[in-house]
Structure formats: structure tokens, C-alpha cells
Amino acid sequence: MWAALQHAEWVTILATSRWLYGLVSVVHYVALFSCIGTIVLLDLRILGVAERNQALPAFAEQLRPWTWIGAGAAVISGFLLFATEAADYAAVTPFHVKMLIVALALISALAIEWRVPKWNRAPVIPVTAKFLALISIALWLGAVLAAVEIGPLTGLG
Amino acid sequence: MHDAVLACSRWLENTPWGVTVRDSAWMSPVIQWMHFVGLSMWLGTTFSVDLRLMGVGKRRQTAAELSNGLFAWNWIGFGVAVLGGFLSFSAEATTYVQNTGFCLKLAVLTPVALIWHVVVQKNIGVWTRTEQSSAIGKRAGLIEFLLWISVVAASVAFLLTNAVTHP
């Protein structure tokens, strides 16, 4: 299945064109920096170390579009980059680890977004919220680490 | 000029930290990780402010309030990104400086984008006295947004063509 994807005509066009591949890479980097940066900022706000002058739901709302547009663009561009070496990526453990951590990190980000209005009604931000925010930060740090280790460990990318 | 740059690069490669990073099996990816983590904070905060200045997206705060609120994490991210970038540059300086994308990024695009960033940060209060940013503020935000994307583009061009990752 992954080999078929890798050898699909549109994928070979992407893989052999430096300009197209570069363009998709630029989208991937810009999107993931926006996505991860804004998620971690919200986590830091929940932990009480960023933007304390701004109410939590308002700050979450301000960042939300950039988090999720970034996430969508990063997933699509990431899939395109994956497709160019699909069979190879699908076969190696570091890539599986990266995908697992990214999935968990996105789920934690969704959970946090969903709970923000409730946490705001409490007199102080609950400990569970701070705990989730810490987990979210750790997951994103892990996701980026897994991503940069794929090259050295497997020779891919 | 060219000789001076190469001499500086050679000096950097022979600094204790340059040698340590180059000879280590595990440090290079960790330093790259640092660079990316710093960039996420730097660009996450910078883009949020630029887009707000442009009037795109939600308007729960003015661009000036957002810029002030994110100021500390903005520059923490910058510091982390620069430290990571400097360390990986030190390890392979003579190879990096021979790459056009890298030279463009380090010598032209990053300094211009950085100066522009400081100008925006200093003037944002003037440009956003009301809920709406002024016309000049909107343009300044758009220009900064595009400048940082051009920095990323030059970095990608470098990553796809440099002799270290693509021998």
C-alpha cells in the first residue's frame, strides 16, 4: 500500500521536483512552528507563566485559528513529504514513534481547548489543568525530538 | 571579504564547542531540536502579533496588548533558536558558508527580518491606538510575516542542498 503511494505519478513528480518539494517543506515548517508555538503559549498561560493579564478563554480564542490552521497545513504538507518516501518511512520505528507522539499531543491540545471554558469558571485554574498543560508541553518537546532523530537514526528525510 | 569569512569559519570550527559538537554522535540532532523548539516560540509569538496587526483572525486584544503580553516568550524563543543555530553553525561553518541559501539567510534575510521585528515591536503602540491597526501597521505586519517566511524558505533551500546533509 505505501509502496503504491510512493510510486503514484503525482508523488514522483513531487519527489523529483526540488521546487515543489522545497515549497511543501516551507509550508510544513511554517505551519508546525505556528501550531506548536501557539499551543505551548496556551499551555504556559494555563501554568500561569505567560499573558497573565489576559483572561484564559480570550487568549485561547485569540490563538485558536493559528493553532488549528497550522495543524491542518502541517498534517497535509507532512503527508505529502511522507508520500515521497512512504514505504521507507512506514517501515522504521522512529517514524512510528513520531506519529504516535504527534497524535497524543494533538489529542491533548484538543482536550485542553475543550476544557478551557470550564477551567475559567473555577476561582483558580485547577491542578488537573496545569498537569495537562505540562503533559502537552512535554509531548510537543518529544514530538520535535522524535522528528529530528529520524534522519540520524534511519538516513531518511 | 571571502577570505575573511572563511578564516572566521575556520576559527569557529576549531573552537572547543565547534569541535565538541562535530565529534559527537548525539549532539547535532539535539541542537537542531533546540533550534526548532526556539523557533516555535519565536515564530508562534511573532506570527500571532503580525496577523493581529494585519487585522486577520480574532480581535480579543489589540496587537499592542498581544505584543506586550508575549514579549518575554518571544525573546526567550529567539535566544534558544539563536543558541541552537550558532552551535550547529560552529560545527560545520566552512561548509555552511559555501551554501548560497545559508549565506542569504544569515547575512541578509535574518538581519533584515530581525531589524523589522524590532521596528514593529517599538511602534506597535502607535499603530494600534484603536481596535483597528493603522494602514501602516497593517502593512508592517504583513511585511514582517513575509520576511520570516522568506527566512524559512532560505533555510529549506539550504537544508536541501548543503553538503553536510546531502553529500
Side-chain angles (χ1 to χ4, degrees), chain A residues 18 21-23 25-26 29-30 32-34 36-38 40-41 44 49-51 54 57-59 61-66 140-142 144-146 148-149 152 157, chain B residues 26 29-30 32-33 35-37 39-41 43-45 47-48 51-52 56-61 65-66 68-70 73 145 148-149 152-153 156 159-161 166:
Chain A
R18 246 182 190 176
Y21 189 88
L23 179 70
S25 305
V26 172
Y29 283 112
V30 169
L32 72 90
F33 292 145
S34 312
I36 298 177
T38 51
V40 171
L41 279 175
L44 292 168
V49 290
E51 267 289 36
Q54 174 73 341
F59 188 52
E61 202 178 306
Q62 183 70 45
L63 299 180
R64 191 170 297 137
W66 315 135
W140 284 115
L141 290 175
V144 180
L145 187 60
V148 299
E149 289 288 358
Chain B
W26 60 270
V30 171
Q32 203 183 2
W33 171 73
H35 191 56
F36 286 158
V37 168
L39 280 180
S40 298
M41 292 313 291
L43 292 180
T45 45
F47 285 163
S48 301
L51 288 160
R52 178 64 190 90
V56 184
K58 303 284 178 173
R59 295 176 179 186
R60 299 302 302 253
Q61 292 168 281
E65 285 164 350
L66 195 61
N68 290 336
L70 299 179
W73 287 104
F145 187 70
W148 288 114
I149 289 178
V152 177
V156 166
L159 279 176
L160 293 179
T161 56
H166 294 263

Side-chain angles (χ1 to χ4, degrees), chain B residues 95-118:
Chain B
T95 322
Y96 281 17
V97 294
Q98 291 178 50
N99 183 287
T100 317
F102 183 81
C103 293
L104 195 62
K105 170 192 181 174
L106 189 71
V108 183
L109 297 173
T110 306
V112 170
L114 190 61
I115 291 167
W116 196 259
H117 179 79
V118 174

Side-chain angles (χ1 to χ4, degrees), chain B:
Chain B
M1 174 66 188
H2 187 249
D3 289 344
V5 171
L6 268 182
C8 287
S9 307
R10 232 171 263 128
W11 174 79
L12 258 181
E13 278 188 351
N14 289 315
T15 54
W17 63 89
V19 174
T20 311
V21 174
R22 193 168 53 253
D23 291 347
S24 155
W26 60 270
M27 282 175 99
S28 290
V30 171
I31 287 165
Q32 203 183 2
W33 171 73
M34 220 174 121
H35 191 56
F36 286 158
V37 168
L39 280 180
S40 298
M41 292 313 291
W42 171 251
L43 292 180
T45 45
T46 300
F47 285 163
S48 301
V49 173
D50 290 338
L51 288 160
R52 178 64 190 90
L53 198 53
M54 284 152 67
V56 184
K58 303 284 178 173
R59 295 176 179 186
R60 299 302 302 253
Q61 292 168 281
T62 68
E65 285 164 350
L66 195 61
S67 173
N68 290 336
L70 299 179
F71 186 87
W73 287 104
N74 184 232
W75 289 102
I76 290 171
F78 181 75
V80 174
V82 167
L83 185 58
F86 176 72
L87 287 174
S88 37
F89 175 53
S90 301
E92 309 281 356
T94 52
T95 322
Y96 281 17
V97 294
Q98 291 178 50
N99 183 287
T100 317
F102 183 81
C103 293
L104 195 62
K105 170 192 181 174
L106 189 71
V108 183
L109 297 173
T110 306
V112 170
L114 190 61
I115 291 167
W116 196 259
H117 179 79
V118 174
V119 170
V120 170
Q121 217 162 47
K122 293 253 177 247
N123 289 289
I124 202 160
V126 182
W127 293 335
T128 54
R129 286 207 198 285
T130 60
E131 166 88 2
Q132 285 279 346
S133 317
S134 64
I136 184 167
K138 281 183 183 164
R139 261 173 236 144
L142 175 65
I143 290 169
E144 183 176 7
F145 187 70
L146 295 175
L147 277 173
W148 288 114
I149 289 178
S150 77
V151 172
V152 177
S155 312
V156 166
F158 158 61
L159 279 176
L160 293 179
T161 56
N162 94 79
V164 179
T165 49
H166 294 263

